[in-house]
Amino acid sequence: MYHRFNENRYPSTNIQMDVFKEQMGIIKNSSYTFSNPKNFVKNFSSLKKNKEILITIDDAFLSFYLEAWPYIKKNKIPFILFVSTEPVGKKGYMTWEQIKEVEAEEFTVIGHHSHSHEYLIDRDNNFEFNSSTVNVFSNELPTEIICGAEKSPP
């Protein structure tokens, strides 16, 4: 799971691109294969000939798009980008246009990561689901499938 790329101000969620590239090289040159998230549901229960790894990237930070996306796109490394819909387009976050560009590739999937990225541990058991993120995804992304779940009809 990755978050930020080359953002030294956030050391707990940041990775330097040289380290990220090294990690991707280790995976590529090992007995692991990158798992394409578009095939995840279909292949989940099948026996695997090789060990698989699924790359996930959280929060749609702009540093992902500016730093990691060119490398990932060039190398066609499959991954899921989990997006919190509330901060999209705000300072430090990707725009919907950038998210749509990423989603257009055959090796990427955009996943739900809540609307506001609240710290849910502070919520009580009566917490109600906020459908804002589902509505935003339905309005913004053109695909019929998001993370293996069919979108509701309009």
Side-chain angles (χ1 to χ4, degrees), residues 16-147:
Q16 295 299 316
M17 277 305 298
D18 59 334
V19 175
F20 178 74
K21 289 176 182 179
E22 181 181 346
Q23 290 176 354
M24 296 302 105
I26 290 169
I27 294 167
K28 186 176 180 179
N29 297 322
S30 71
S31 60
Y32 288 84
T33 58
F34 290 106
S35 179
N36 188 324
K38 290 193 177 193
N39 302 325
F40 186 78
V41 173
K42 180 178 82 174
N43 296 337
F44 182 75
S45 297
S46 65
L47 294 175
K48 311 295 185 281
K49 293 180 183 177
N50 296 314
K51 297 175 184 177
E52 293 186 9
I53 189 165
L54 178 60
I55 304 296
T56 63
I57 300 165
D58 278 4
D59 304 323
F61 289 115
L62 185 58
S63 67
F64 160 73
Y65 183 78
L66 297 176
E67 301 286 338
W69 174 234
Y71 173 80
I72 289 174
K73 183 177 180 179
K74 178 182 175 185
N75 292 283
K76 294 183 171 38
I77 298 171
F79 68 96
I80 300 175
L81 175 64
F82 288 102
V83 176
S84 295
T85 55
E86 190 269 333
V88 170
K90 294 183 179 174
K91 183 178 180 183
Y93 291 88
M94 294 170 63
T95 65
W96 282 114
E97 291 74 27
Q98 292 165 332
I99 293 167
K100 289 173 187 176
E101 175 191 327
V102 169
E103 183 196 30
E105 298 296 332
E106 281 299 314
F107 54 91
T108 67
V109 167
I110 306 300
H112 295 280
H113 193 15
S114 79
H115 180 63
S116 60
H117 204 300
E118 294 180 63
Y119 190 61
L120 297 179
I121 201 157
D122 292 336
R123 296 289 187 171
D124 62 23
N125 290 336
N126 296 321
F127 176 72
E128 291 187 29
F129 173 72
N130 180 343
S131 62
S132 296
T133 190
V134 175
N135 294 334
V136 171
F137 266 84
S138 295
N139 292 331
E140 293 293 340
L141 296 177
T143 60
E144 293 301 314
I145 306 246
I146 298 175
C147 283

